[in-house]
Amino acid sequence: MSASTTDQLPVVVIGAGPIGLATAARLVERGLDPLVLEAGPSAGTAVRGWAHVRLFSPWTEVTDPAAEKLLAPTGWTRPDGATYPTGGDWAERYLQPLADVLGDKVRYGATVTGVARAGRDRIVDSGREEQPFSVHVLLADGGEERITARAVIDASGTWSAPGPLGANGLPALGEKTAADRIAYRVPDLNDPAVRARYAGRRTAVVGSGASAFTALAHLADLAKEEPGTHAVWILRRGITGSTFGGGEADQLPARGALGLRAKAAVEAGHASAATGFRTQTVERLGDQLVLVAEDGRRLDPVDEVIVLTGFRPDLSFLSEIRLGLDERLQAPAALAPLIDPNVHSCGTVYPHGVNELSHPEQGIYLVGMKSYGRAPTFLAMTGYEQARSITAALAGDREAAERVELTLPETGVCGGAGLFDEPDGVQGGESGGCCAAPTTLQIGIGAPVSSGGC
């Protein structure tokens, strides 16, 4: 197929979440034809899965400028920029209206099951770059379809692949058979059935990030109303001054406040902490579960377990594409050093764009949460800038693609999810200027790579 013919094909965007829809809006702005494939029945299907959780970024930081331009003629106005939406607000008041404006450029009930070069598996070199992409789709009615695309932008996120309870990255022994007592999402305690599951019971909360903070805070609120409700917070490392995030120093105040609420839950006795506990086995004891650590420690029985150990990308449908991924984070190789929690113990993530997101296979990009692989602390505005840079490159405007600028706030998070303590209990970077000031850099041009700290 000639280049001129390929250029007439759509750019397939996988996922109608915040970054996928922003990517579509940017493509429209650039005069390119997007086709968004969403596995769920509506926009923001994954976001709706945590509809009850409030974002720690305000409205001003979770809407994309190109999307707002598309929405403006419809009479849409952005909600009060200083307020913080829930996932439900984000989906109903922004994502769904944006998808509606895009119209038939968004297709629901379309699950991507494979991406390849037309007529070429990943082994074949001959004529590879001249071939368009072939995107295989499973439809909601069970039918199948093959879509030919000039480029593919995967914004499918990581929601479908939560991390397991097991500390080695694999499910703990007995974890799968105890699935009826284990959840991998922040519970919605406003739902009477969910509330009844945790009220008056002991619940283990595994994780050290914002999701774990949220679950602890919600369970603490429940404990004030329902006697006998208690959380056991399981941390794979020890508690230090950084455990609860940046607190009042966090430039995202709502995120800092979330960590302080989790701290208050522990101090008030609504939650107790088991530190340095790396789960190896889940044992049943009647209707309860006993968690056993790698070092042989056994926790007192709990009624429920909430596992919030992060997410990981589903790369299964990209098996015939030549991706250049970091062997640890499963993020694009050039991006990984900028977001690696083993190095960036509290990471202001340097701005990045098409250069850092490119792969050996030209024309395929992972964006949004999926671009971070297993790394934490992704911000929506980072994804919006990714979309802007990539779509500029696809439109042939390389200069614009490499000149996108973005100022990111401090994360306020010291220590990546699941990392071991440093010797003597010092978290990496904490003694060397952890949490550097916000930085404005050109995307794709000389983004520095830190050798330590932040």
Side-chain angles (χ1 to χ4, degrees):
M1 184 176 287
S2 67
S4 60
T5 304
T6 301
D7 288 347
Q8 303 304 310
L9 297 173
V11 176
V12 164
V13 179
I14 306 174
I19 311 308
L21 292 174
T23 300
R26 293 286 182 179
L27 289 166
V28 169
E29 184 179 55
R30 286 285 182 174
L32 302 177
D33 183 26
L35 177 60
V36 182
L37 302 176
E38 167 58 45
S42 59
T45 298
V47 173
R48 294 173 194 271
W50 48 271
H52 57 292
V53 177
R54 193 167 300 279
L55 280 75
F56 47 64
S57 296
W59 274 110
T60 52
E61 296 177 2
V62 297
T63 58
D64 175 72
E68 290 191 24
K69 289 178 184 177
L70 277 183
L71 285 164
T74 70
W76 180 89
T77 56
R78 184 175 65 195
D80 181 356
T83 61
Y84 295 82
T86 62
D89 295 333
W90 204 13
E92 292 296 336
R93 302 175 66 184
Y94 169 65
L95 299 178
Q96 194 61 57
L98 177 55
D100 292 344
V101 168
L102 289 165
D104 60 6
K105 298 181 186 302
V106 180
R107 294 178 55 185
Y108 303 111
T111 301
V112 174
T113 59
V115 179
R117 286 285 185 181
R120 308 288 191 277
D121 64 22
R122 68 182 296 155
I123 299 175
V124 178
D125 289 332
S126 178
R128 186 176 192 85
E129 296 299 333
E130 290 73 38
Q131 294 302 308
F133 289 95
S134 179
V135 181
H136 290 223
V137 181
L138 177 64
L139 304 177
D141 63 5
E144 295 181 280
E145 188 175 348
R146 181 180 299 157
I147 297 170
T148 306
R150 61 174 291 187
V152 176
I153 301 175
D154 183 357
S156 60
T158 56
W159 182 250
S160 64
L165 173 59
N168 62 359
L170 300 174
L173 298 178
E175 180 174 349
K176 291 183 179 179
T177 58
D180 59 320
R181 298 283 182 177
I182 302 177
Y184 298 86
R185 307 284 191 263
V186 175
D188 181 3
L189 298 181
N190 292 319
D191 182 321
V194 176
R195 183 184 179 91
R197 178 173 177 174
Y198 298 100
R201 312 186 85 183
R202 283 174 55 83
T203 300
V205 177
V206 186
S208 59
S211 294
F213 292 166
T214 302
L216 289 168
H218 288 183
L219 288 170
D221 290 341
L222 182 62
K224 296 172 186 176
E225 302 173 7
E226 298 285 351
T229 303
H230 188 78
V232 182
W233 187 19
I234 298 178
L235 291 144
R236 293 173 178 171
R237 56 178 185 264
I239 291 182
T240 70
S242 63
T243 296
F244 298 98
E248 295 178 359
D250 197 322
Q251 290 195 3
L252 293 177
R255 180 172 52 195
L258 191 59
L260 294 178
R261 284 187 67 194
K263 183 177 182 181
V266 173
E267 292 175 345
H270 299 309
S272 54
T275 60
F277 193 97
R278 308 181 77 82
T279 308
Q280 179 172 269
T281 306
V282 182
E283 296 180 357
R284 278 200 179 268
L285 184 65
D287 291 332
Q288 293 184 304
L289 302 177
V290 175
L291 303 187
V292 184
E294 293 176 345
D295 60 8
R297 279 186 294 160
R298 301 169 65 88
L299 292 184
D300 290 339
V302 296
D303 301 293
E304 300 285 344
V305 179
I306 301 173
V307 180
L308 300 168
T309 56
F311 295 84
R312 52 188 60 176
D314 176 9
L315 301 169
S316 61
F317 59 87
L318 300 176
S319 61
E320 296 307 317
I321 292 296
R322 297 175 178 180
L323 299 177
L325 299 177
D326 179 77
E327 66 275 10
R328 294 166 300 164
L329 297 185
Q330 295 179 297
L335 174 60
L338 308 183
I339 61 176
D340 186 352
N342 289 289
V343 176
H344 296 282
S345 59
C346 63
T348 293
V349 176
Y350 292 108
H352 55 275
V354 67
N355 288 349
E356 292 81 7
L357 296 168
S358 294
H359 294 275
E361 192 88 66
Q362 296 181 20
I364 179 81
Y365 302 96
L366 311 183
V367 299
M369 280 290 297
K370 192 162 187 176
S371 72
Y372 270 39
R374 298 191 183 196
T377 63
F378 177 80
L379 296 176
M381 54 185 175
T382 301
Y384 295 152
E385 290 296 346
Q386 291 178 342
R388 183 187 188 282
S389 177
I390 288 169
T391 53
L394 287 175
D397 191 348
R398 196 76 191 186
E399 183 179 3
E402 295 185 347
R403 281 192 310 157
V404 180
E405 295 186 354
L406 172 64
T407 300
L408 292 171
E410 295 175 9
T411 67
V413 178
C414 297
L419 300 188
F420 286 95
D421 286 330
E422 294 291 338
D424 302 321
V426 177
Q427 292 292 309
E430 201 168 271
S431 60
C434 185
C435 293
T439 308
T440 302
L441 296 171
Q442 290 183 318
I443 285 183
I445 301 180
V449 176
S450 173
S451 59
C454 293

